[in-house]
Amino acid sequence: MANLKEIRNRISSVSSTMQITSAMKMVSAAKLKKAQDAITAMRPYSDKLTELLQSLSATLDADSGSAYSTQREVKKVLIVTITSNRGLAGAFNSNIIKEVNKLTNDTYANQEVSYLAIGKKGNDAFKKTNNIIANNSAIYDDLTFDNVAEIAEQLMEKFLAGEFDKIEIVYNKFKNAATQIVTVEQFLPIVPVEGAAVNNSDYVFEPSKLEIVEQLIPKSLKTQLYKGIRDSFASEHGARMTAMHKATDNATELRDQLKLTYNKARQASITNEILEIVGGAEALNN
């Protein structure tokens, strides 16, 4: 059995860890509330904009479609990996990395795959492949629509220039504090939903549908990327809060076990001392 000093040191160490994890849990909980409110308020707008764009695109002739809808033979693929800058969030980042590896090795095994990292963890995971075209980890320092729009514009330019034939986004979709859903979304080219069409008798278009679509597409793509990053941001704090909650519970349980072990060891030590005293007294009497 470990001596009393070693057990006391372990109790002190576990107690310090428990205080840290508890503080991190509270910080993440406070940040989660703000991030959750932001993504909850944004989703209806994003979904409606996407629905409108898909409906309009479905009514256009194939020859009049936008350049962003151009379907090419897929030879070069760009995967946008949205992770966090920090760890201690359970499987939040590892799930994204596993999904990206699955896409790379299975879905796009015969294509040339490159990566654009949003988040240091994704950049660290794929920088050894030498296929990372950019690292936008600093976006979390000032997460605004304008800053994300710049990244979206770069992606659109690369697609139009033919640098990539397909662009995918991989991120954690926020469901609740304990659940994050790994999501893969096609960013470009845009694929209109079959059967989604606007009834021309219900709407008068001014300007033409084609002009409206050409104006909506860049805005919709920027909104899509911003929503993905916002979803990931909220998911990160939810995952970290859950992970730190479990860590605090585990530390509390371990501390209680160590205290019980310490008390047993201390009791055994006192009993031995009493036995030694009694034994010495009897030896003197004899």
Side-chain angles (χ1 to χ4, degrees), residues 7 106 236:
I7 298 176
D106 298 340
E236 175 192 349

Side-chain angles (χ1 to χ4, degrees), residues 159-227:
F159 178 78
L160 293 179
E163 294 183 34
F164 300 101
D165 304 310
K166 191 174 185 180
I167 300 178
E168 300 264 30
I169 303 175
V170 184
Y171 66 96
N172 279 296
K173 185 177 182 179
F174 179 81
K175 183 176 181 181
N176 54 51
T179 306
Q180 300 82 39
I181 304 171
V182 177
T183 304
V184 179
E185 286 184 1
Q186 182 169 317
F187 187 70
L188 286 168
I190 296 172
V191 181
V193 176
E194 295 182 3
V198 174
N199 188 340
N200 292 333
S201 63
D202 294 336
Y203 299 93
V204 175
F205 296 99
E206 181 64 34
S208 66
K209 286 188 290 185
L210 179 58
E211 291 179 83
I212 293 175
V213 168
E214 289 178 346
Q215 292 178 17
L216 279 180
I217 284 178
K219 188 171 186 178
S220 176
L221 291 172
K222 294 173 185 177
T223 303
Q224 180 184 355
L225 182 60
Y226 184 58
K227 181 178 72 70

